[in-house]
Amino acid sequence: MANDRGRRRSAPDAPARPWEQLTRGGWVAIGTTALVIASSLTAYGAYYDIYGNINAESVDTDAFGDRPTKVEGAVNILLIGSDVRTGENADYGAAEGERPDTLIIAHVSPDHDGATLVNIPRDSYLDLPACAATDDKPGYDPHLGMIGEAMSLGGVGCLWTTVEQLTGIHIDHFVSVDFTGFKGMVDAIGGVEMCVPAAVQDEKAKLDIEAGEQTLDGETALAYVRSRYAQGDGTDISRIDRQQEFMGAMLRKVMSSDVLASPGNLYAFLGSVTDSITTDDEFTVDAMADVAIAMREVDMASVRFVTVPNGQHPLDTNRIAWREPDASQLFEAIATDVELSEPEDSGSEPDSGDAPQEDAEAEVTPADPSAVAVEVLNATDVDGLGADTGAELTAAGFQVAGTGNPSGETPSATTVYYAPGQESHAAAVAEHVDGARIEEDATLGETVLLVLAGDAGGSGAAELPGAESARTAEETENACG
């Protein structure tokens, strides 16, 4: 019986967690903050002067063909943190072309008095639709590639239509900000207060900083949000955590300080970065003011940060695959302007008995891990996931009886099978494996069986709109002690 089932990965070392964390938050802070304060500038007429310094690029959206339906009132803006290394940005190394170091869909919903910022990880490895060549870009045929190729090989118009086709979300405008713009905005607000948990020296990111609570100026903040290998576990997901905290700190300072107190402060604030911002030429002053009016009443508790649900790509462990159906459910919620605080139907039919099983899980008190023997079987395409999960469970105190791969029929979802009377043991394992369900199997003995199924290898359980793991700006508080 032990070789008839499948498998799922436990949460501790998952590549990314669903519906949470905003990557490269500094650039997004620029875009979001600019939208928040633009209407105040417009009221004084000053913004019309500043607007002239913004670079405008013509994008022929009519050439996109069939596009996702636009929801009246809601606005979706593609925020791009550009890694262009020309001009003043040449100080940050050489890089061919221009790529989106950060890619965010900012969804502004006046009906729900809030905003949701959806991060598309730059390591996303996807089936890219074709993009035509332009005067300065070669374009490409449909292929499996990194999301950033759309911009580097096809331009911002290619990136725009690619995001629309992959997500089903109608994008209204784009805003791109480079390294210099990021520094300028941080300096314009007098720096951002952050708690640095440990001293960091990262030569690649040009970062040398002591531990403790301190105010980061523009140059140091840029190094902090770009640093990867010298902090945490060296992964991009670890960097995402720090960047989300930075963005929350930056937004809180802008909204609570004297930045918004006078036309002069506002003028200096945007004036410091406008020459580092590029938008589509349809994102006019009036269009920006409309967005800003919608954002003006939004408090930090209504600005949500989420990431496309994802996991390790089966063809390349260094790349990310979007986990389905979770990713599609998130995109559908954004595309149709569903309030994320309202749980939605997952769209999939539950297996018979699922609801009673969930009730049973809620009533069972999990056993102590040291008393639980578990065998782990990997029914996914991710090599080594069974061994990794076994190691994680061992570290958590479980007795791992063995790991391997199943033969024969496997479940569609990660499942912990248990013998009669062993339900508390199964519940203990399920508690350590996000999204795992439990099911009784009278053929088993005292060892429970964890089968990691096709939903494994990602970032935990499928989270629907309103998932508790999503963070708001208020929940990114970063303070020592």
Side-chain angles (χ1 to χ4, degrees), residues 56-75:
E57 182 170 336
S58 177
V59 178
D60 184 10
T61 55
D62 291 338
F64 291 178
D66 292 335
R67 300 181 63 194
T69 301
K70 174 177 173 56
V71 175
E72 189 66 30
V75 179

Side-chain angles (χ1 to χ4, degrees), residues 93-449:
E96 184 176 350
E98 180 179 9
R99 296 162 298 181
D101 197 41
T102 297
L103 190 59
I104 307 291
I105 299 174
H107 173 71
V108 181
S109 176
D111 287 346
H112 303 308
D113 297 323
T116 302
L117 284 76
V118 181
N119 167 245
I120 300 176
R122 65 176 181 178
D123 286 344
S124 297
Y125 200 44
L126 309 164
D127 288 318
L128 302 178
C131 276
T134 66
D135 292 340
D136 59 349
K137 302 289 183 181
Y140 50 77
D141 294 326
H143 70 288
L144 183 65
M146 298 278 283
I147 186 69
E149 293 180 23
M151 187 168 181
S152 61
L153 300 179
V156 71
C158 171
L159 180 62
W160 186 333
T161 187
T162 294
V163 170
E164 285 197 341
Q165 291 183 56
L166 293 177
T167 66
I169 297 172
H170 182 98
I171 303 298
D172 297 287
H173 303 288
F174 85 87
V175 175
S176 178
V177 185
D178 62 25
F179 295 153
T180 301
F182 172 81
K183 293 192 304 177
M185 183 163 281
V186 173
D187 286 335
I189 62 174
V192 174
E193 292 74 27
M194 291 289 293
C195 174
V196 180
V200 183
Q201 290 184 321
D202 187 340
E203 184 176 349
K204 186 173 182 180
K206 300 183 179 180
L207 179 64
D208 186 353
I209 189 172
E210 298 296 326
E213 193 162 356
Q214 53 197 288
T215 299
L216 307 185
D217 62 16
E219 190 71 48
T220 305
L222 178 61
Y224 185 77
V225 299
R226 295 184 68 215
S227 174
R228 174 173 179 175
Y229 299 106
Q231 297 193 67
D233 60 8
T235 65
D236 198 40
I237 301 305
S238 177
R239 177 167 58 177
I240 285 172
D241 280 324
R242 294 189 298 275
Q243 291 164 341
Q244 183 183 15
E245 291 172 353
F246 183 89
M247 178 182 177
M250 187 171 186
L251 285 175
R252 284 193 301 273
K253 179 163 186 180
V254 169
M255 299 303 291
S256 63
S257 70
D258 62 359
V259 170
L260 306 181
S262 73
N265 291 346
L266 293 169
Y267 190 93
F269 184 58
L270 275 190
S272 65
V273 298
T274 49
D275 58 358
S276 297
I277 294 176
T278 300
T279 70
D280 59 283
D281 57 3
E282 295 296 320
F283 203 14
T284 62
V285 170
D286 291 340
M288 290 183 182
D290 288 342
V291 176
I293 289 171
M295 285 290 296
R296 190 165 48 187
E297 301 303 321
V298 171
D299 62 27
M300 293 299 96
S302 298
V303 179
R304 300 179 180 87
F305 309 136
V306 300
T307 297
V308 176
N310 65 83
Q312 199 174 62
H313 201 287
L315 299 181
D316 188 337
T317 58
N318 294 316
R319 300 293 178 242
I320 284 175
W322 293 353
R323 193 182 69 249
E324 295 295 353
D326 307 343
S328 293
Q329 292 167 0
L330 169 60
F331 297 147
E332 176 70 13
I334 297 298
T336 57
D337 193 28
V338 170
E339 187 172 12
L340 295 189
S341 60
E342 299 173 356
E344 295 294 313
D345 192 332
S346 67
S348 60
E349 292 293 325
D351 293 336
S352 61
D354 269 2
Q357 180 64 54
E358 290 173 3
D359 291 342
E361 287 180 44
E363 298 170 357
V364 175
T365 299
D368 187 283
S370 63
V372 179
V374 56
E375 180 180 0
V376 183
L377 297 181
N378 180 8
T380 74
D381 296 328
V382 182
D383 292 338
L385 194 54
D388 289 347
T389 302
E392 293 166 359
L393 291 174
T394 298
F398 291 89
Q399 303 172 43
V400 177
T403 63
N405 298 102
S407 61
E409 184 179 353
T410 59
S412 59
T414 292
T415 304
V416 185
Y417 296 95
Y418 63 94
Q422 298 292 315
E423 189 174 7
S424 64
H425 288 207
V429 175
E431 190 176 53
H432 285 267
V433 183
D434 285 356
R437 62 182 186 178
I438 64 175
E439 181 177 323
E440 183 174 311
D441 187 331
T443 67
L444 293 178
E446 293 184 355
T447 299
V448 299
L449 179 65

